[in-house]
Amino acid sequence: MAEDEVRRGAMAAARLAEGEPLQEVLDVADPGEWLALDAGVRQVRWYRPDESAPKWEWAQEWDAPLPRDLMRAGESGLAVALCHRNGRIREAAVRRAAQHPGLLPLVVIRCADWVAPLRRYARQLLRDTLDVDNAADLAPLLLRVGRRDRGAFGVQLLEEVLQGAPQGRLAALFAAPDRGVRRFAYRLAVAEGRLGPVDLARTAARDEDNVVQDLCANATLTALAATGDVDRNTYDDVLTPLLAARNPRTRSTGVTALRRAGRPQEAERFLNDRSAVVRACARYVVRQYGGDPTTWYRTRCTGADDAALLPGTVIGLAECGDRADAGLLRSLLAHPDGAVRAQAVAGLRAVDRVATTTLLPLLDDPVPAVVREVTVALLPSAAELPADLLLDRTGPERPRHLRSAAFRLLDAHGGVMALRAAVGLLADPDVKLRARAEHAVRRWRPAADEQRGDPEVGRLLDRGRHLFSDRALRRLAWEAGLDG
């Protein structure tokens, strides 16, 4: 738990020990407040008056108030006692907690207590108290405590209580602000078959949590298969939200469902989707009905100046084509759309047709995505690239994406050229690029095939002296064949 949360819990504990009402001290709807209180009680330096002493002194048990004080302090003091470091005091407090329903969250925490007798009593109290009416309020805390050692009991009990509960009770958890609660509720609903394919599809499309999206999207296909014969209207209600979803995995579920719906022609428009998984599902559906995705891609990639050509079409050709398609991909390196050019480079790499002479001029492309793809494609042959050309592109007058790409290739090139580039970028205006250069200088080692004792290496290391200890610098100079 974060230090500021523990500190906040300690402040709350001190106020509770003074008798302030629980509702005024804690946000009782926030599970984090209860967990912070539990940790914070043990961080307060507690005092007690000693009538025989002329001033206040440390209590014998300085880490928490005395038991008799807590037991007389009502709900607020009992809350502190439930978090006391002494297990016997916690157990005594749990036995009295049944009279204070507002302290049930602390009973939940004690269900994962390391003291076995206390843990058993707290669990029995929770089992007797938890029902469908208060389960929704306690669900966030139960799930958070469930991640602790010995915390699984509360989650299992929550599941037992909600199984068979009215649909409205469970549906209230679907809209809970706590992400973990929504995940739990949907998992339970899916396991019990409470949601039909239309409800699952709509949830998969609108929920903001990826886990819920994936869970409901996958359950949609299962629900469709279990339904048997499905009319067209039902398929429309299921497919419309799935195919329009922003999450690629959800869209891919919708595309896969087109096969069962017998609508492969609709899958064709997803052959050029921006997501690889959606494109793969679309190709599967099209092939199942005798279509040829490769021909579809080739036909659309023949227009090198086609402004309507989409990047997904280009990379889709590489995903299902072969080396014979390299000519088509090369023709798209001059396409007016930078995204298309970037995917053409990625496609050449995918079909293993990377030509250094063809791609090297694209390092000067104004679109960063193109330069990134070119860099990745050229990295395996970095040692064969003209180092002077790359070094010239690390100058401060060059765009940031070009300086970064040239440095990445020079770093892979190795040797004195890599050190020269890294030292030159130590004063780069970009913070991240400067940090990468510093890291490169620190880990630089002389290449085995280069001449030892190169005076330029000595000058470069001297410029980066501030990055090394004296001992490390002397050792590196010795490795480079310098006198030190």
Side-chain angles (χ1 to χ4, degrees), residues 141-168:
L141 181 60
L142 283 163
L143 294 173
R144 286 187 62 173
V145 174
R147 298 196 291 265
R148 296 181 171 184
D149 290 340
R150 302 175 295 272
F153 169 83
V155 179
Q156 294 170 358
L157 181 60
L158 178 64
E159 186 173 342
E160 291 175 14
V161 168
L162 293 178
Q163 282 177 345
Q167 183 68 10

Short mmCIF file of all heavy atoms in Angstrom, two decimals, residues 141-168:
data_model
loop_
_atom_site.label_atom_id
_atom_site.label_comp_id
_atom_site.label_asym_id
_atom_site.label_seq_id
_atom_site.Cartn_x
_atom_site.Cartn_y
_atom_site.Cartn_z
N LEU A 141 -14.75 -4.27 -1.96
CA LEU A 141 -13.79 -4.62 -0.90
C LEU A 141 -13.53 -6.12 -0.88
O LEU A 141 -12.38 -6.56 -0.71
CB LEU A 141 -14.32 -4.14 0.45
CG LEU A 141 -13.42 -4.40 1.65
CD1 LEU A 141 -12.07 -3.72 1.49
CD2 LEU A 141 -14.10 -3.94 2.94
N LEU A 142 -14.57 -6.92 -1.04
CA LEU A 142 -14.40 -8.38 -1.04
C LEU A 142 -13.44 -8.81 -2.14
O LEU A 142 -12.59 -9.68 -1.93
CB LEU A 142 -15.75 -9.06 -1.22
CG LEU A 142 -16.67 -9.11 0.00
CD1 LEU A 142 -18.10 -9.43 -0.41
CD2 LEU A 142 -16.16 -10.14 1.01
N LEU A 143 -13.55 -8.19 -3.31
CA LEU A 143 -12.68 -8.57 -4.43
C LEU A 143 -11.25 -8.10 -4.21
O LEU A 143 -10.30 -8.78 -4.61
CB LEU A 143 -13.24 -8.00 -5.73
CG LEU A 143 -14.60 -8.59 -6.15
CD1 LEU A 143 -15.15 -7.85 -7.36
CD2 LEU A 143 -14.46 -10.08 -6.47
N ARG A 144 -11.07 -6.95 -3.60
CA ARG A 144 -9.70 -6.48 -3.33
C ARG A 144 -9.04 -7.32 -2.25
O ARG A 144 -7.88 -7.70 -2.37
CB ARG A 144 -9.73 -5.01 -2.92
CG ARG A 144 -9.99 -4.07 -4.09
CD ARG A 144 -9.85 -2.63 -3.72
NE ARG A 144 -8.51 -2.26 -3.27
CZ ARG A 144 -8.12 -1.03 -3.03
NH1 ARG A 144 -8.98 -0.02 -3.21
NH2 ARG A 144 -6.89 -0.76 -2.62
N VAL A 145 -9.77 -7.65 -1.20
CA VAL A 145 -9.22 -8.52 -0.16
C VAL A 145 -8.99 -9.92 -0.73
O VAL A 145 -8.07 -10.63 -0.30
CB VAL A 145 -10.17 -8.56 1.05
CG1 VAL A 145 -9.69 -9.57 2.09
CG2 VAL A 145 -10.27 -7.18 1.69
N GLY A 146 -9.78 -10.30 -1.73
CA GLY A 146 -9.63 -11.62 -2.33
C GLY A 146 -8.29 -11.83 -3.00
O GLY A 146 -7.89 -12.98 -3.23
N ARG A 147 -7.57 -10.74 -3.31
CA ARG A 147 -6.24 -10.88 -3.92
C ARG A 147 -5.16 -11.14 -2.88
O ARG A 147 -4.01 -11.40 -3.25
CB ARG A 147 -5.92 -9.62 -4.72
CG ARG A 147 -6.87 -9.36 -5.87
CD ARG A 147 -6.30 -8.36 -6.85
NE ARG A 147 -6.23 -7.02 -6.30
CZ ARG A 147 -7.15 -6.09 -6.47
NH1 ARG A 147 -8.24 -6.37 -7.18
NH2 ARG A 147 -7.00 -4.87 -5.97
N ARG A 148 -5.51 -11.07 -1.61
CA ARG A 148 -4.53 -11.32 -0.55
C ARG A 148 -4.43 -12.81 -0.25
O ARG A 148 -5.29 -13.61 -0.63
CB ARG A 148 -4.95 -10.58 0.73
CG ARG A 148 -4.96 -9.06 0.63
CD ARG A 148 -5.35 -8.45 1.96
NE ARG A 148 -5.17 -7.00 1.98
CZ ARG A 148 -5.36 -6.24 3.04
NH1 ARG A 148 -5.75 -6.79 4.19
NH2 ARG A 148 -5.18 -4.94 2.98
N ASP A 149 -3.38 -13.17 0.48
CA ASP A 149 -3.30 -14.53 1.02
C ASP A 149 -4.49 -14.76 1.94
O ASP A 149 -4.87 -13.87 2.71
CB ASP A 149 -1.99 -14.72 1.80
CG ASP A 149 -0.78 -14.73 0.89
OD1 ASP A 149 -0.94 -14.96 -0.31
OD2 ASP A 149 0.34 -14.47 1.40
N ARG A 150 -5.09 -15.92 1.84
CA ARG A 150 -6.25 -16.30 2.65
C ARG A 150 -7.47 -15.44 2.37
O ARG A 150 -8.40 -15.38 3.17
CB ARG A 150 -5.90 -16.22 4.16
CG ARG A 150 -4.73 -17.09 4.58
CD ARG A 150 -4.37 -16.88 6.05
NE ARG A 150 -3.90 -15.52 6.29
CZ ARG A 150 -2.64 -15.14 6.17
NH1 ARG A 150 -1.71 -16.03 5.80
NH2 ARG A 150 -2.28 -13.90 6.40
N GLY A 151 -7.48 -14.75 1.21
CA GLY A 151 -8.60 -13.86 0.93
C GLY A 151 -9.66 -14.44 0.02
O GLY A 151 -10.66 -13.78 -0.27
N ALA A 152 -9.50 -15.68 -0.43
CA ALA A 152 -10.43 -16.26 -1.40
C ALA A 152 -11.81 -16.52 -0.81
O ALA A 152 -12.80 -16.57 -1.56
CB ALA A 152 -9.85 -17.56 -1.97
N PHE A 153 -11.89 -16.65 0.51
CA PHE A 153 -13.18 -16.98 1.12
C PHE A 153 -14.24 -15.95 0.77
O PHE A 153 -15.37 -16.30 0.41
CB PHE A 153 -13.03 -17.06 2.65
CG PHE A 153 -14.34 -17.14 3.38
CD1 PHE A 153 -14.99 -18.35 3.54
CD2 PHE A 153 -14.93 -15.99 3.91
CE1 PHE A 153 -16.22 -18.41 4.20
CE2 PHE A 153 -16.15 -16.05 4.57
CZ PHE A 153 -16.79 -17.26 4.72
N GLY A 154 -13.91 -14.68 0.89
CA GLY A 154 -14.89 -13.63 0.65
C GLY A 154 -15.41 -13.65 -0.78
O GLY A 154 -16.61 -13.43 -1.02
N VAL A 155 -14.52 -13.91 -1.75
CA VAL A 155 -14.94 -13.96 -3.14
C VAL A 155 -15.86 -15.15 -3.38
O VAL A 155 -16.88 -15.04 -4.08
CB VAL A 155 -13.72 -14.02 -4.06
CG1 VAL A 155 -14.14 -14.10 -5.53
CG2 VAL A 155 -12.82 -12.82 -3.85
N GLN A 156 -15.53 -16.28 -2.80
CA GLN A 156 -16.38 -17.47 -2.94
C GLN A 156 -17.75 -17.25 -2.32
O GLN A 156 -18.78 -17.63 -2.89
CB GLN A 156 -15.69 -18.67 -2.30
CG GLN A 156 -14.41 -19.09 -3.01
CD GLN A 156 -13.60 -20.11 -2.22
OE1 GLN A 156 -13.98 -20.49 -1.10
NE2 GLN A 156 -12.50 -20.55 -2.79
N LEU A 157 -17.76 -16.59 -1.16
CA LEU A 157 -19.03 -16.32 -0.50
C LEU A 157 -19.86 -15.33 -1.32
O LEU A 157 -21.09 -15.49 -1.45
CB LEU A 157 -18.77 -15.75 0.90
CG LEU A 157 -20.03 -15.45 1.74
CD1 LEU A 157 -20.85 -16.71 1.95
CD2 LEU A 157 -19.63 -14.83 3.08
N LEU A 158 -19.23 -14.33 -1.89
CA LEU A 158 -19.94 -13.37 -2.74
C LEU A 158 -20.57 -14.08 -3.93
O LEU A 158 -21.73 -13.80 -4.29
CB LEU A 158 -18.96 -12.29 -3.22
CG LEU A 158 -19.52 -11.23 -4.15
CD1 LEU A 158 -20.58 -10.40 -3.44
CD2 LEU A 158 -18.40 -10.34 -4.68
N GLU A 159 -19.84 -15.00 -4.51
CA GLU A 159 -20.38 -15.76 -5.64
C GLU A 159 -21.58 -16.60 -5.22
O GLU A 159 -22.60 -16.67 -5.92
CB GLU A 159 -19.29 -16.64 -6.24
CG GLU A 159 -19.69 -17.36 -7.51
CD GLU A 159 -18.53 -18.08 -8.15
OE1 GLU A 159 -17.37 -17.75 -7.82
OE2 GLU A 159 -18.78 -18.98 -8.99
N GLU A 160 -21.49 -17.22 -4.05
CA GLU A 160 -22.60 -18.03 -3.55
C GLU A 160 -23.84 -17.18 -3.33
O GLU A 160 -24.96 -17.59 -3.65
CB GLU A 160 -22.20 -18.72 -2.24
CG GLU A 160 -21.15 -19.79 -2.39
CD GLU A 160 -20.70 -20.33 -1.03
OE1 GLU A 160 -21.40 -20.06 -0.03
OE2 GLU A 160 -19.66 -21.02 -0.96
N VAL A 161 -23.65 -16.00 -2.78
CA VAL A 161 -24.79 -15.13 -2.46
C VAL A 161 -25.47 -14.64 -3.74
O VAL A 161 -26.70 -14.55 -3.82
CB VAL A 161 -24.32 -13.94 -1.60
CG1 VAL A 161 -25.41 -12.88 -1.50
CG2 VAL A 161 -23.93 -14.42 -0.21
N LEU A 162 -24.67 -14.31 -4.76
CA LEU A 162 -25.23 -13.74 -5.98
C LEU A 162 -25.75 -14.79 -6.95
O LEU A 162 -26.52 -14.47 -7.85
CB LEU A 162 -24.18 -12.88 -6.68
CG LEU A 162 -23.78 -11.61 -5.94
CD1 LEU A 162 -22.69 -10.87 -6.70
CD2 LEU A 162 -24.98 -10.70 -5.73
N GLN A 163 -25.33 -16.04 -6.77
CA GLN A 163 -25.87 -17.10 -7.62
C GLN A 163 -27.36 -17.26 -7.32
O GLN A 163 -27.76 -17.45 -6.18
CB GLN A 163 -25.15 -18.42 -7.37
CG GLN A 163 -23.79 -18.51 -8.03
CD GLN A 163 -23.06 -19.79 -7.70
OE1 GLN A 163 -23.42 -20.50 -6.76
NE2 GLN A 163 -22.01 -20.10 -8.45
N GLY A 164 -28.14 -17.18 -8.36
CA GLY A 164 -29.57 -17.31 -8.17
C GLY A 164 -30.24 -16.04 -7.69
O GLY A 164 -31.46 -16.02 -7.47
N ALA A 165 -29.49 -14.97 -7.49
CA ALA A 165 -30.09 -13.70 -7.09
C ALA A 165 -30.91 -13.14 -8.24
O ALA A 165 -30.68 -13.46 -9.40
CB ALA A 165 -29.00 -12.71 -6.68
N PRO A 166 -31.89 -12.29 -7.95
CA PRO A 166 -32.69 -11.68 -9.03
C PRO A 166 -31.79 -10.99 -10.05
O PRO A 166 -30.75 -10.42 -9.69
CB PRO A 166 -33.58 -10.68 -8.28
CG PRO A 166 -33.67 -11.21 -6.89
CD PRO A 166 -32.35 -11.87 -6.62
N GLN A 167 -32.21 -11.01 -11.30
CA GLN A 167 -31.40 -10.43 -12.36
C GLN A 167 -31.10 -8.95 -12.10
O GLN A 167 -30.02 -8.46 -12.42
CB GLN A 167 -32.12 -10.57 -13.71
CG GLN A 167 -31.35 -10.06 -14.91
CD GLN A 167 -30.12 -10.90 -15.23
OE1 GLN A 167 -29.94 -11.97 -14.67
NE2 GLN A 167 -29.29 -10.41 -16.13
N GLY A 168 -32.05 -8.25 -11.50
CA GLY A 168 -31.83 -6.83 -11.23
C GLY A 168 -30.68 -6.59 -10.28
O GLY A 168 -29.96 -5.59 -10.42
#
